[in-house]
Amino acid sequence: MAVTRKTRSDLAASVGLTDADLIAMYRTVALARAVDERIWILNRAGRIPFVISGQGHEGAQVGLAWPLERKKDWIAPFYRSIATCLAFGMTAQDILMAQYAKASDPSSGGRQMPGHYGNAENNLLSLSSPVATQMLHAVGIALAAKIRRTGQVALTSMGEGSSNQGDVHEGLNFAAIHRLPFILVVENNGYAISVPTSKQLALENVADRAAGYGIPGVIVDGSDVLACYRASKTAVDRARRGDGPTLIEAKVIRLTAHSSDDQQTKYRPEHELAELRTHDALPRFRDELRDAAVLTDEIETGIAAEIKAEVDAATEHAEHEPDPDPSTAMRWVFAEDWPSEMPPAWGLGGHRAAAGGNHGTAGEGHGTADEGHGAAGSEGGGR
Amino acid sequence: MALRTFIEAIRETLAEEMRRDPSVIVLGEDVGKKGGVFLATDGLWAEFGDDRVIDTPLTESLIVGASIGAAVNGLRPVAEIQFADFIFPAFNQILSEASRMRYRSNNGFGVPMTIRAPYGGGVHGALYHSQSVEAFFTHIPGLKVVIPSTPYDAKGLLRSAIRDDDPVLFFEHKKMYRSVRGDVPDTDYTVPLGRAAVTHEGKQITVVAYGLMAHYALEAADVVADEGISVEVVDLRTLRPIDKETLLTSVRKTGKCLVAYEDNRFGGYGAEVSAIVAEEAFDYLDGPVTRIAGPDVPGVPYNHVLEDWFMVNPEKIAAGIRKLAAY
């Protein structure tokens, strides 16, 4: 395809990028959307038990992640961070592998629910389900960067719902005191599952809280990819200079239910969704790039075909990968195996097995294939 | 060889490890200029400076959470929680994050971090400066829990903890800080995690203990020895991963087992020891596995009469031994 030209449109020049950069960013936004739409289809088709996604967040995520340096800087993402992860080095296949929870899933080897991405190779920290815990990890990563003088920047992202957790306060305070190379991105989509922002914070903006920590709080339109890029670039440069952290609030939209287990029509009016679609970053960015003559019919068609092939191939690959072997389920509790952490011999059919009663309790269940299975992926919920 | 108090051994080890490995940092409340409320970090700030000895705000969750991140990005943090009683704001970070990171990332990330915390009663600390909280943490797969009882073990185990690639929770009984002395070699020895020690050999009853109770168990063993009861004392040293082999070998030899722990009796760590012995040494037992533990009140009361009533002591352990010996 034709993303080889080295030209620099006025639009690209205005943000210090090349046209090829802009096209790569657009491609990442579009790829994230395509992956996201695919996993909902797979869920509805009964292929994967749970989906939590980021539709409506992709433009902001790509713009905000782009100024960071891959394999040097760090991101501690959250469960809607598909586009962030794609922008920071993970592939569509990596994301699909997590959805299918297969043995070779690079995020967790099939141990975590879908959406819990992480990848050491790309400095994307493994995430959990309790929200905002990653805040402190990113602050600690930034602390180590400062102490070790590595020049790294750590960014973490979360929803505005998570921003109410105490860990956010503790982390921002500490990052500000020590002027750490740290960026908190709050992707404000207006809802913490079902609870609107009016019941989450008394202020209009999460970013207004930054003043309380003596750091810049920046509000950016999350449907404007390049505005997000600029805000993040400023924050990254500031962090890299040693001037300390920034809180960036991106106003985004949530185009789907919270998760595949959520019925959002119960708390969200129909017209709201229709209105929100007019603020979608994907068509907006496409139009912007077309108006600037960066994106042509030919390039757009080529990207669309490439993305379809990539997502198809990723799905096909993940579908046919083996499930994890239950004999590996005890591995990596610690760096090395500890004999005393293994269940007693009779739980695995030892000399007293015939007496019964000791068999197959949950704690010993890894011993047989059937028991090791099933627990993963059947959970719904999450936040 | 040099004679050291328990806290001197801790302090020396921290300084030595920081000299040996520039990735070791210390962080916590008052650990800097003041040197910690018990002076465990005294002198470190003067030697290693602001970068490596960090006075944090009063934020336990951050102390642990930021240590996790720092560990992921190349440091070996030694976090101090001022009192074990105050560790609970960090519980989520310890349980959901530090202990699960390696497992949930399929070995993508590890958390080489040590959390030190003074625990235990008998120091007029009342409900919130006396607790033994180990049972909350020994329940967690992926977390190592260490409770040394001697300056020698404190030094060797703290070295092992700091050098370990997984999170280690290191509890220090605060009553022992200055009351317990012992010989410590000048060498760079380590005591491996996950290994118990038989600190007193005997034939009739195994007493299992750790921390301050390991001392009280030895005192009780001496008392009942005069009455003709031969007691073997197993000092667990590492609570998880537990050294089942040393424990079970001893119980299979003596045929009787008493577990002494300071924490509330119900669901305490001794319950797990009892279960292991009951499951894996049943054929060898000559009496009920017995626990001598703190009463099930929500904390150690302040008044000295009430505190004495709460605390397990050598007399209470000796009484338990006599009863079990007569069974």
Side-chain angles (χ1 to χ4, degrees):
Chain A
M1 63 156 278
V3 195
T4 51
R5 60 184 191 159
K6 295 278 195 287
T7 54
R8 202 172 198 216
S9 61
D10 289 347
L11 183 66
S14 74
V15 287
L17 293 170
T18 65
D19 288 358
D21 292 327
L22 297 187
I23 289 168
M25 290 171 83
Y26 169 74
R27 189 187 188 287
T28 309
V29 177
L31 177 64
R33 178 63 56 87
V35 167
D36 209 308
E37 288 174 347
R38 174 62 55 88
I39 63 182
W40 280 92
I41 290 167
L42 292 170
N43 174 255
R44 294 307 183 232
R47 300 306 305 154
I48 57 175
F50 179 72
V51 163
I52 192 153
S53 77
Q55 286 183 43
H57 292 235
E58 303 99 325
Q61 290 182 3
V62 171
L64 291 161
W66 212 264
L68 292 166
E69 195 177 322
R70 283 188 194 180
K71 298 188 193 295
K72 173 183 177 179
D73 294 327
W74 280 83
I75 295 181
F78 78 123
Y79 50 78
R80 297 202 195 283
S81 297
I82 290 177
T84 303
C85 292
L86 291 174
F88 214 50
M90 289 180 79
T91 65
Q93 182 172 300
D94 293 341
I95 301 294
L96 263 298
M97 295 293 284
Q99 309 303 323
Y100 278 88
K102 292 299 182 71
S104 52
D105 151 34
S107 292
S108 81
R111 289 172 173 193
Q112 293 230 67
M113 293 174 83
H116 293 54
Y117 311 110
N119 191 223
E121 195 187 322
N122 290 299
N123 288 0
L124 277 159
L125 186 62
S126 163
L127 70 103
S128 66
S129 304
V131 296
T133 50
Q134 78 274 18
M135 171 82 193
L136 300 179
H137 309 158
V139 167
I141 288 168
L143 175 67
K146 186 185 173 206
I147 292 172
R148 295 174 54 216
R149 296 177 170 79
T150 60
Q152 296 164 302
V153 173
L155 177 149
T156 190
S157 51
M158 64 181 65
E160 87 290 347
S162 305
S163 76
N164 297 304
Q165 290 281 4
D167 279 355
V168 176
H169 168 64
E170 293 192 16
L172 278 180
N173 184 44
F174 187 82
I177 290 168
H178 293 278
R179 301 169 81 84
L180 297 183
F182 168 76
I183 299 164
L184 169 60
V185 166
V186 175
E187 298 175 21
N188 184 345
N189 65 17
Y191 285 93
I193 301 189
S194 68
V195 180
T197 46
S198 59
K199 289 188 176 167
Q200 296 185 60
L201 59 157
L203 296 167
E204 179 86 0
N205 308 299
V206 178
D208 294 344
R209 293 176 178 165
Y213 303 99
I215 64 170
V218 180
I219 299 164
V220 64
D221 178 352
S223 70
D224 186 340
V225 176
L226 295 182
C228 290
Y229 171 82
R230 273 191 297 265
S232 180
K233 182 79 168 60
T234 303
V236 169
D237 291 346
R238 174 181 148 81
R240 202 96 69 196
R241 282 196 309 270
D243 289 344
T246 303
L247 165 52
I248 300 174
E249 177 180 13
K251 305 284 191 183
V252 299
I253 53 176
R254 198 183 87 194
L255 292 174
T256 65
H258 164 69
S259 75
S260 52
D261 291 343
D262 175 38
Q263 187 64 44
Q264 66 174 344
T265 51
K266 199 172 172 190
Y267 55 84
R268 222 176 167 186
E270 287 283 347
H271 65 83
E272 181 182 299
L273 270 172
E275 206 273 327
L276 284 185
R277 289 205 176 272
T278 65
H279 299 288
D280 187 356
L282 179 59
R284 177 174 172 173
F285 195 34
R286 178 171 51 215
D287 291 347
E288 189 178 15
L289 297 188
R290 290 183 71 96
D291 289 348
V294 173
L295 202 59
T296 62
D297 283 343
E298 187 201 348
I299 295 172
E300 196 184 329
T301 311
I303 288 175
E306 258 184 21
I307 285 176
K308 185 173 185 317
E310 191 175 337
V311 175
D312 283 348
T315 309
E316 187 73 8
H317 177 83
E319 180 83 36
H320 291 100
E321 277 290 286
D323 285 323
D325 182 339
S327 72
T328 66
M330 286 296 290
R331 199 170 291 162
W332 306 128
V333 176
F334 295 113
E336 72 278 34
D337 289 338
W338 286 81
S340 66
E341 294 288 312
M342 298 298 154
W346 56 76
L348 298 171
H351 73 289
R352 292 224 162 175
N358 290 322
H359 259 312
T361 61
E364 300 168 357
H366 76 282
T368 64
D370 285 340
E371 290 162 357
H373 240 48
S378 63
E379 304 165 19
R383 280 192 277 192
Chain B
M1 219 47 125
L3 193 64
R4 292 281 180 270
T5 63
F6 193 82
I7 196 153
E8 283 166 352
I10 299 282
R11 189 189 304 139
E12 273 185 7
T13 310
L14 291 171
E16 288 163 9
E17 287 301 292
M18 292 182 80
R19 278 175 214 133
R20 184 188 62 82
D21 180 354
S23 72
V24 177
I25 64 164
V26 164
L27 70 166
E29 296 159 9
D30 299 297
V31 300
K33 267 187 196 175
K34 181 174 167 61
V37 294
F38 292 101
L39 302 181
T41 58
D42 198 22
L44 298 182
W45 178 81
E47 182 174 351
F48 301 103
D50 281 332
D51 263 7
R52 295 180 66 197
V53 183
I54 303 168
D55 270 330
T56 65
L58 308 187
T59 49
E60 285 80 11
S61 189
L62 173 123
I63 291 169
V64 173
S67 292
I68 293 169
V72 163
N73 195 19
L75 295 182
R76 286 186 178 267
V78 182
E80 177 175 302
I81 298 294
Q82 199 160 71
F83 286 83
D85 311 64
F86 307 152
I87 201 169
F88 298 105
F91 193 73
N92 194 34
Q93 287 289 344
I94 296 170
L95 167 68
S96 306
E97 306 298 332
S99 308
R100 295 185 182 179
M101 187 66 82
R102 187 181 299 282
Y103 190 80
R104 80 181 191 213
S105 65
N106 206 22
N107 200 36
F109 300 96
V111 181
M113 166 184 74
T114 304
I115 305 170
R116 296 178 39 252
Y119 82 102
V123 294
H124 315 305
L127 279 76
Y128 302 104
H129 295 78
S130 301
Q131 291 171 71
S132 299
V133 301
E134 65 273 12
F136 294 108
F137 298 97
T138 54
H139 184 62
I140 302 174
L143 181 66
K144 292 171 181 169
V145 180
V146 174
I147 305 187
S149 68
T150 66
Y152 179 92
D153 283 350
K155 195 158 201 180
L157 285 165
L158 185 54
R159 280 199 185 107
S160 293
I162 291 171
R163 298 174 191 185
D164 198 81
D165 286 335
D166 289 306
V168 180
L169 194 43
F170 195 93
F171 287 119
E172 302 156 8
H173 200 295
K174 62 180 86 73
K175 192 180 173 75
M176 292 173 15
Y177 272 150
R178 286 169 180 82
S179 65
V180 171
R181 285 181 169 74
D183 281 330
V184 175
D186 299 326
T187 60
D188 186 43
Y189 72 97
T190 57
V191 173
L193 304 179
R195 294 278 179 276
V198 175
T199 53
H200 187 276
E201 291 198 10
K203 293 175 184 160
Q204 289 167 277
I205 290 181
T206 298
V207 175
V208 183
Y210 48 89
L212 180 64
M213 293 303 121
H215 293 278
Y216 288 177
L218 289 173
E219 287 182 41
D222 280 346
V223 169
V224 298
D226 296 340
E227 303 161 23
I229 304 172
S230 172
V231 170
E232 179 145 302
V233 177
V234 173
D235 181 351
L236 285 176
R237 306 196 293 188
T238 299
L239 276 57
R240 193 160 190 186
I242 188 173
D243 180 357
K244 279 190 191 178
E245 194 183 337
T246 301
L247 168 69
L248 293 170
T249 300
S250 176
V251 174
R252 283 168 184 154
K253 179 177 80 175
T254 61
K256 287 181 176 173
C257 179
L258 181 148
V259 194
Y261 58 106
E262 188 179 323
D263 191 7
N264 302 121
R265 178 184 179 85
F266 191 100
Y269 184 75
E272 182 63 31
V273 175
S274 304
I276 289 170
V277 170
E279 281 184 334
E280 302 187 45
F282 182 77
D283 293 346
Y284 301 84
L285 287 175
D286 259 344
V289 184
T290 305
R291 290 176 290 163
I292 299 293
D296 287 312
V297 292
V300 183
Y302 181 67
N303 178 282
H304 68 98
V305 177
L306 297 178
E307 185 180 45
D308 288 346
W309 165 82
F310 181 99
M311 288 296 293
V312 172
N313 58 30
E315 293 72 37
K316 291 176 185 173
I317 297 172
I321 290 170
R322 288 186 197 103
K323 196 173 166 193
L324 183 56
Y327 183 86

